[in-house]
Amino acid sequence: MNILFVTPECAPYVKTGGLGDVSAALPATLASLGHDVQVLMPAYRGVKVAGEIGDGVELPAWGPWPAAQLVPVKVENGVTMQLLACPSLYQRSGGPYVDAGGRDYQDNALRFGLLSRVGALVGTVHSPLRGWVADVVHANDWPCGLAPLYLAQSRLISPQEPTAASVLTIHNLAFQGTFDMATADPLGVPGHWRGLEGVEFWGQLSMLKGGIQFADAITTVSPTYAREIQTPEHGIGFDGILRARAARLRGILNGIDTRVWNPAQDALLPHRFQRDDLSGKAACKAALQARAGLRGDPAAMLFAVVSRITPQKGIDLVLQNLPRLLSSGAQLVVLGQGDPALQQALREAADRHPKQVAVTLGFDEGLAHLIEAGADVFLMPSRFEPCGLNQMYSQAYGTPPIVAPVGGLLDSVTDASADPVRGTGFVMTGADGEGLADALARAQRAWRQPQEWRRIQANGMARHFGWEDSAMQYLDVYQRARAAGSAAPASL
Ligand code: ADP
Ligand code: GLC
């Protein structure tokens, strides 16, 4: 199959969270299974992609969009990156979605509208890629949400021409890509599709809703989250439309990129280790304590967080439980960035307890690896978690996670209290402060029993989190989407 994977971020070039990791690993796995995979992503400022650069293709100015260019780079994993170059839209000093001050770019509708538009075009006979036409256009999250809509529109305008099947993956329903309905004009959303059956969401235009309504297949990143988002509690206003489209919705658990996240070969670690010899892990703990300025004590139980610092991730629950943790002699290391009030609270805790709490505000790939390797326990008390990758990385690195009983966390961690033989971590009884307190106490008890602890570590390290199974499930979704045909309303 010719697969076009459309994404706003892709590691290691641009990454703000798990979508970046998925955009690197899933296409590479699909390519290794024999498919022809191209990844379409904006050419943001500073993005450097190593590989064989091909001839660029000019895209003429179109509607509200200036002229742009597609630059192909063949990267080593068998995937071709198609960098969408449009300097006035993408060459900015901030991140992919927000400016240096953390505010959304005011022209995000146009910036990601173009990404979606070009993605859809590659799935038609008018593909600009010199004869390469996608069989499947796989769009990710709200920034690509309009790609399925544009494909549905092409089908209606030229029903005799073949068009790609469209698949939307929801990585996080909380980001809905809402804009003033007036943007429907420049974006070219047809009049009939601006209502409840189309992109309308509380009077605004939601790009994510466009994807949900028009995609031939919808996936999300864990089976549990696929069920949760169809309920009012977790549906964030979209549960009704997701229930209506349930027959085309499937949850597929993310994998981890074992080329990047493997403690036996991780080049970002000062010491490497594997399941039958954890001496390198102990050395990583000492290195982490030294780097973080914590007391260099192997007997101090070291808890860790690597995360976007947002209410989603339950960082406030960690702060709530901190006094009890510290009085037990434990240590906490945090790496992350986000919400200013939570960052401030973390910084104050570190100032008050410099030998027990270390907080690094920022994005640091190398430190993230060292923390996964050097910590004793990883904390992920998320209020909701579509999939979550860090709890999988931590299991692979012999760092049992404490997780909330939600989404992909439930699908990827086995509770060691409920299942002492196969347990790989600790599942909280509820996604709240008490649930975390209880799980912390259970983890501390288990840690005092070295044999029990070793078993939990070994179980996690033996667990298979590779991408192959999930990639096969995506292929099945692609095939079904092609067979099922259009889900769109029959008029423009
Ligand atoms: P989400 O996508 O919701 O942020 P995930 O657990 O799926 O959560 O993925 C987060 C990814 O981003 C992981 O690879 C994690 O290591 C990484 N990450 C998050 N914050 C930071 C940070 N401050 N520095 C380095 N890596 C980070
Ligand atoms: C989102 C989710 C996270 C998931 C990631 C990759 O950012 O918050 O749970 O792991 O996407 O799918």
Side-chain angles (χ1 to χ4, degrees):
M1 260 185 277
N2 283 356
I3 300 162
L4 183 74
F5 192 89
V6 191
T7 181
E9 56 181 275
C10 180
Y13 320 115
V14 191
K15 166 172 159 182
T16 69
L19 174 56
D21 292 350
V22 173
S23 301
L26 175 56
T29 311
L30 292 167
S32 74
L33 294 170
H35 298 279
D36 195 343
V37 191
Q38 309 220 17
V39 176
L40 174 66
M41 183 185 80
Y44 304 107
R45 183 151 117 183
V47 166
K48 292 207 169 42
V49 178
E52 185 191 324
I53 302 180
D55 293 335
V57 177
E58 300 297 327
L59 302 170
W62 187 10
W65 294 293
Q69 225 194 3
L70 275 174
V71 183
V73 186
K74 232 178 165 39
V75 292
E76 53 164 49
N77 56 17
V79 168
T80 298
M81 296 293 300
Q82 290 287 350
L83 298 173
L84 176 58
C86 185
S88 65
L89 292 184
Y90 303 128
Q91 295 277 323
R92 305 270 169 94
S93 58
Y97 321 105
V98 296
D99 65 20
R103 288 169 301 263
D104 289 348
Y105 295 116
Q106 42 76 24
D107 56 351
N108 269 349
L110 286 186
R111 297 174 72 240
F112 295 110
L114 180 64
L115 178 66
S116 299
R117 188 52 114 175
V118 174
L121 191 63
V122 174
T124 71
V125 292
H126 309 288
S127 169
L129 298 182
R130 301 202 174 89
W132 196 90
V133 181
D135 298 312
V136 175
V137 172
H138 185 163
N140 291 277
D141 272 352
W142 72 264
C144 313
L146 290 185
L149 181 148
Y150 289 140
L151 271 168
Q153 192 180 17
S154 301
R155 274 180 210 159
L156 285 179
I157 293 170
S158 320
Q160 70 296 346
E161 289 173 0
T163 46
S166 60
V167 176
L168 172 77
T169 295
I170 301 169
H171 295 264
N172 194 336
L173 195 65
F175 300 109
Q176 303 176 329
T178 47
F179 300 93
D180 194 300
M181 190 52 86
T183 53
D185 277 336
L187 290 171
V189 174
H192 279 89
W193 291 358
R194 295 181 189 183
L196 210 56
E197 300 300 312
V199 296
E200 194 267 347
F201 189 59
W202 297 103
Q204 292 194 294
L205 177 157
S206 159
M207 289 195 172
L208 185 67
K209 187 173 172 195
I212 293 173
Q213 294 290 53
F214 293 95
D216 300 319
I218 306 163
T219 71
T220 187
V221 287
S222 69
T224 296
Y225 193 60
R227 286 190 296 275
E228 288 173 344
I229 56 178
Q230 297 179 54
T231 65
E233 192 193 345
H234 289 287
I236 324 183
F238 281 10
D239 46 299
I241 56 169
L242 287 163
R243 281 196 302 277
R245 304 223 56 210
R248 289 176 186 250
L249 168 64
R250 196 198 298 189
I252 302 176
L253 194 69
N254 287 332
I256 69 176
D257 193 335
T258 45
R259 298 164 308 173
V260 181
W261 292 96
N262 175 355
Q265 332 174 330
D266 189 333
L268 295 170
L269 296 183
H271 309 275
R272 280 166 276 286
F273 56 91
Q274 45 205 351
R275 196 154 72 106
D276 52 12
D277 179 4
L278 293 182
S279 50
K281 182 167 173 68
C284 284
K285 176 171 176 178
L288 175 58
Q289 285 172 323
R291 174 160 170 190
L294 299 171
R295 192 168 359 96
D297 178 1
M301 193 170 178
L302 177 52
F303 292 84
V305 173
V306 178
S307 180
R308 290 185 291 114
I309 306 288
T310 66
Q312 174 193 342
K313 302 292 183 178
I315 306 298
D316 52 317
L317 305 181
V318 176
L319 284 162
Q320 200 180 313
N321 276 281
L322 196 57
R324 203 171 343 178
L325 262 194
L326 297 182
S327 63
S328 73
Q331 299 178 335
L332 174 70
V333 55
V334 178
L335 166 64
Q337 58 187 6
D339 184 271
L342 287 169
Q343 289 193 168
Q344 182 58 22
L346 286 166
R347 215 194 312 248
E348 281 167 15
D351 289 345
R352 272 199 306 274
H353 308 279
K355 293 291 165 202
Q356 276 184 285
V357 181
V359 173
T360 304
L361 300 175
F363 200 92
D364 185 334
E365 191 76 28
L367 183 56
H369 283 244
L370 180 60
I371 291 175
E372 289 288 5
D376 294 311
V377 175
F378 197 87
L379 300 178
M380 232 164 144
S382 310
R383 292 203 161 73
F384 66 93
E385 196 60 77
C387 178
L389 296 172
N390 279 303
Q391 81 283 5
M392 298 198 249
Y393 301 152
S394 71
Q395 287 171 81
Y397 280 62
T399 308
I402 288 180
V403 299
V406 294
L409 301 176
L410 267 184
D411 295 341
S412 58
V413 178
T414 307
D415 183 65
S417 313
D419 188 343
V421 177
R422 281 177 297 248
T424 62
F426 301 88
V427 180
M428 292 156 53
T429 45
D432 50 29
E434 277 165 36
L436 179 56
D438 167 71
L440 287 167
R442 284 188 284 136
Q444 286 179 308
R445 272 199 302 276
W447 154 267
R448 287 195 288 269
Q449 309 292 329
Q451 243 180 327
E452 184 182 342
W453 194 257
R454 274 292 293 126
R455 189 170 57 235
I456 301 171
Q457 287 182 301
N459 286 345
M461 295 180 86
R463 203 155 170 165
H464 182 71
F465 286 120
W467 262 104
E468 291 72 19
D469 293 349
S470 302
M472 295 302 287
Q473 293 188 56
Y474 276 103
L475 288 171
D476 185 54
V477 168
Y478 297 162
Q479 256 135 13
R480 284 167 193 263
R482 293 177 73 189
S486 184
S491 64
L492 278 172

